[in-house]
Amino acid sequence: MSELQRFSMSIDGGSVGSEYFSVINPATEKPFAEAPSATKDEIDAAFAAADKAFVDWSVDDEARQIAMRKAAEVVTAHVDELAALLVSEQGKPLADAIGEVHGTAAWISYFADVEIADKEYITPGEVAQVRLPLGVVAAITPWNYPVIQAAWKFAPALRAGNTVVLKPSPYTPIATLRLGELLQDAFPAGVLNIVSGGDEVGVALTKHPTTAMVSFTGSTSAGKSVAKAVADDLKRVTLELGGNDPAIVLDDIDIAKAAEDLFWGAFVNNGQVCGAAKRVYVPESIYGAVADALADVAAGVKVGAGDAADVRLGPINNRAQYDRVNGLLESAVAGGATVRAGGNRVGEDGYFLEPTILTDVPAGSAIIDEEQFGPVVPLVSYTDLDAVIAEVNNSKYGLGGSVWSADANRALAVGRRLRVGTVYINGHAINHGPHVPFGGARWSGIGVENGLAGLEEYTQRQIIYGNGADL
Ligand code: NAD
C-alpha cells in the first residue's frame, strides 16, 4: 500500500479513482502524491455526467452566475492549500503560486460577472443574433500554470452555458484535482468534471463522441495531433500552443532602466511560459552592454526550492524538459555560443538550472529557432532591423513579440510590423487580466482565450430572422 497521499478525480459531483500514478516534486525528484489514471469507463462516466448536466445548466444564466461567484469564493478561501500543492508539483516559488491561485479566483469572478448581451440586432426588429452554448467541452491543460490555465478554460466555457470535462498535465494534476473536489459544492453535479492521466487520456477526450469542442493548451506538436483528432467529427477547437517570442531591442534603449523588465520578460516562471521572450535581438552597437546588464540581473537571482525563502526561480518542472533545455544549451555551446551568465546546475537533487544567458549564438542554432521553454535565453546581435522583422514574421511561431526603446512610439511603429498575436512595448509577457484576449498566429494557435472574444469561442452564433415575431 502506497504511503503517498492520493487525490481523486471529480466526476458527476463525486470523488473517483481506481488506478493511480505517482507525481514527482521537481525540487526533490521524489514522488510526493498520487493521481488517478482515468479508465475508459471513468472517462465515459465523466462525459455522460457532463451531457446530462448540460440540460439544466445551459438554460439558466442566473444560476450559472451564482454558482461561479461561489466557486471564486471557494478558491479564495483555499489559496494557501492550493498554492502549497502547486509548489510541490510545479516547482514555482510560493509567492508565485499564491499569485496564480488568486488569479484563478479573479478569472472565475470576471467570467461570472461579465455582461453578455442576450441578443444583438443585426437589422433592428427583424434580424438578431444570439449565442448558443456548444455542449460538453473537453479542456486540456499544460504543466506551467496548471491551476489558472484550468480557469482560463472552464470559467468562460461554463458561463457560456457549456459543461466541462477537464484534464490537467500528468506532471501537475494535483492542485487541479483538489480544485475540482473543492468546487463539487459550488457547481451542480456533472457541470465541471476533472479527470487525470497521461497523454492518452487527453487523446480519449479529444475523440470522445460526446465532445462538442476541444479547448487545448500545450505544445505545438500535441496541438497538431488534436487538430487531426477533431477533424473527423469537425468538433470545434481552440489551440493555444507554443511560442518563440522575440524581444527586439532598439539602439536608443535606456539599458539600466530596461534590464530588469527585459530579464523577467524572458525568465518569468523560469522561462516556462508560452508567451515569454525566448530570443532577444540586440543592436550590435550596444550588444556587450545589454549582455552585461542582463548578466548582472541573472547573477542576483536566487534559485531554489519553491518553498525556501527569497527564491525567485524554482526548478524546471520535469526531467524530460530539464534534459531538453540542457541539450539545447550544450548544442549551442558546442556550436560556438558563449555562456554569459549561469549555465550550471544548482545543487544535487532537483531539476535546477541557473538562469542562463547566451551570446554569440550562431545563426541557425536550435536555441534561436525553436521553443526552449526554460531558463536559457540567447542574445542575437543585429545590424539590420528589417531583417530581424522579416525573420520574426517568417518564423512558424507567432504568439507575441516585444520592442524596447526610450521612445515608445518608435517602438510601436516597429511592433505594428510584427505578425504575432500580442505586441508589447517596453515589456513582455504582461497580462492585464481576464478581459484581455490572448492567442497566437500560425503554429502558436487557433482562436483566442479570455475576454468576451474568448468566451465567444465556446458558443455557436445563431442568426434569427423574426419575420414579424417580437425579436
Ligand atoms: P504538452 O503538449 O506535452 O501537454 C499539454 C497537455 O496535453 C497535457 O495535459 C498532455 O497530457 C496533453 N496531451 C499531450 N498530447 C496530447 C494529444 N495528442 N491529444 C490530447 N492531449 C494531449 O505540453 P506541455 O509540455 O504540458 O506544455 C508546454 C507547452 O505548452 C509549451 O509548448 C508551451 O508554449 C505551451 N503553452 C502554450 C500556452 C498558450 O497559451 N499559447 C500556454 C501555456 C503553455
Side-chain angles (χ1 to χ4, degrees):
M1 178 75 185
S2 164
E3 288 170 15
L4 299 176
Q5 187 179 359
R6 283 188 165 171
F7 288 77
S8 298
M9 301 186 288
S10 290
I11 296 175
D12 202 12
S15 298
V16 175
S18 54
E19 298 169 12
Y20 293 84
F21 64 96
S22 50
V23 179
I24 306 281
N25 179 334
T28 62
E29 301 181 49
K30 303 222 162 40
F32 80 98
E34 289 189 337
S37 274
T39 63
K40 181 179 181 311
D41 286 351
E42 289 162 344
I43 293 168
D44 285 342
F47 278 99
D51 204 26
K52 185 160 163 259
F54 180 75
V55 176
D56 290 335
W57 182 254
S58 59
V59 294
D60 191 345
D61 191 41
E62 200 185 336
R64 298 202 290 267
Q65 291 193 280
I66 292 167
M68 289 180 66
R69 286 184 195 122
K70 184 169 172 201
E73 282 169 19
V74 170
V75 173
T76 302
H78 292 85
V79 167
D80 291 342
E81 180 190 353
L82 290 167
L85 294 174
L86 195 47
V87 170
S88 298
E89 66 182 342
Q90 207 288 330
K92 64 184 63 189
L94 182 60
D96 294 354
I98 289 172
E100 180 174 337
V101 182
H102 277 301
T104 303
W107 248 256
I108 300 170
S109 286
Y110 166 80
F111 281 106
D113 291 331
V114 71
E115 280 190 33
I116 306 172
D118 182 39
K119 65 171 178 273
E120 292 162 64
Y121 285 116
I122 293 174
T123 309
E126 290 179 31
V127 184
Q129 78 175 14
V130 296
R131 297 263 175 191
L132 305 177
L134 298 168
V136 179
V137 172
I140 300 173
T141 53
W143 49 255
N144 57 347
Y145 288 93
V147 181
I148 201 165
Q149 287 284 332
W152 278 34
K153 299 191 178 309
F154 75 70
L158 294 182
R159 177 63 202 285
N162 306 282
T163 54
V164 170
V165 177
L166 183 139
K167 188 198 90 72
S169 164
Y171 293 115
T172 54
I174 299 298
T176 311
L177 289 168
R178 182 67 187 130
L179 176 69
E181 283 202 294
L182 291 169
L183 295 184
Q184 284 176 13
D185 289 341
F187 294 118
V191 163
L192 176 62
N193 306 276
I194 311 283
V195 298
S196 54
D199 295 353
E200 70 288 353
V201 175
V203 173
L205 263 54
T206 62
K207 294 188 172 164
H208 201 279
T210 307
T211 300
M213 170 179 171
V214 178
S215 175
F216 177 85
T217 299
S219 60
T220 293
S221 63
K224 290 180 184 177
S225 300
V226 171
K228 286 179 193 145
V230 300
D232 271 350
D233 191 31
L234 286 181
K235 300 180 197 304
R236 297 297 183 267
V237 65
T238 57
L239 301 172
E240 296 293 341
L241 308 178
N244 191 15
D245 285 15
I248 303 173
V249 175
L250 303 187
D251 55 10
D252 65 352
I253 190 180
D254 181 337
I255 297 170
K257 193 164 158 231
E260 278 270 338
D261 286 346
L262 188 53
F263 176 87
W264 286 110
F267 288 92
V268 53
N269 209 38
N270 228 1
Q272 302 166 127
V273 181
C274 53
K278 298 199 172 115
R279 41 185 169 152
V280 181
Y281 290 90
V282 184
E284 192 179 72
S285 56
I286 56 170
Y287 189 70
V290 170
D292 286 345
L294 290 175
D296 278 353
V297 180
V301 171
K302 185 167 174 192
V303 177
D307 51 8
D310 302 326
V311 161
R312 295 293 303 275
L313 294 177
I316 292 174
N317 175 256
N318 58 74
R319 165 61 69 182
Q321 188 61 15
Y322 179 80
D323 289 344
R324 168 163 168 79
V325 173
N326 274 293
L328 287 168
L329 168 59
E330 281 159 22
S331 88
V333 170
T338 304
V339 176
R340 193 63 163 249
N344 301 304
R345 184 173 189 173
V346 179
E348 285 174 8
D349 300 316
Y351 311 127
F352 295 101
L353 177 63
E354 291 171 337
T356 301
I357 292 168
L358 297 178
T359 53
D360 310 311
V361 188
S365 297
I367 193 88
I368 300 173
D369 295 341
E370 296 176 19
E371 179 182 43
Q372 67 276 50
F373 213 66
V376 180
V377 173
L379 305 193
V380 183
S381 170
Y382 75 84
T383 50
D384 180 351
L385 181 59
D386 289 337
V388 171
I389 293 168
E391 184 172 324
V392 168
N393 289 341
N394 287 331
S395 162
K396 283 292 179 187
Y397 293 100
L399 198 54
S402 62
V403 189
W404 300 71
S405 167
D407 177 349
N409 288 325
R410 182 175 171 227
L412 179 63
V414 175
R416 292 293 303 270
R417 294 172 63 193
L418 302 179
R419 293 203 294 273
V420 297
T422 305
V423 169
Y424 313 91
I425 303 305
N426 290 329
H428 205 116
I430 303 162
N431 189 319
H432 274 197
H435 60 294
V436 185
F438 180 79
R442 303 183 292 283
W443 282 10
S444 291
I446 294 176
V448 294
E449 295 198 283
N450 301 332
L452 275 175
L455 184 142
E456 285 173 3
E457 300 275 5
Y458 294 97
T459 65
Q460 170 67 47
R461 185 189 303 246
Q462 182 181 62
I463 306 298
I464 305 175
Y465 286 84
N467 237 346
D470 289 334
L471 270 185

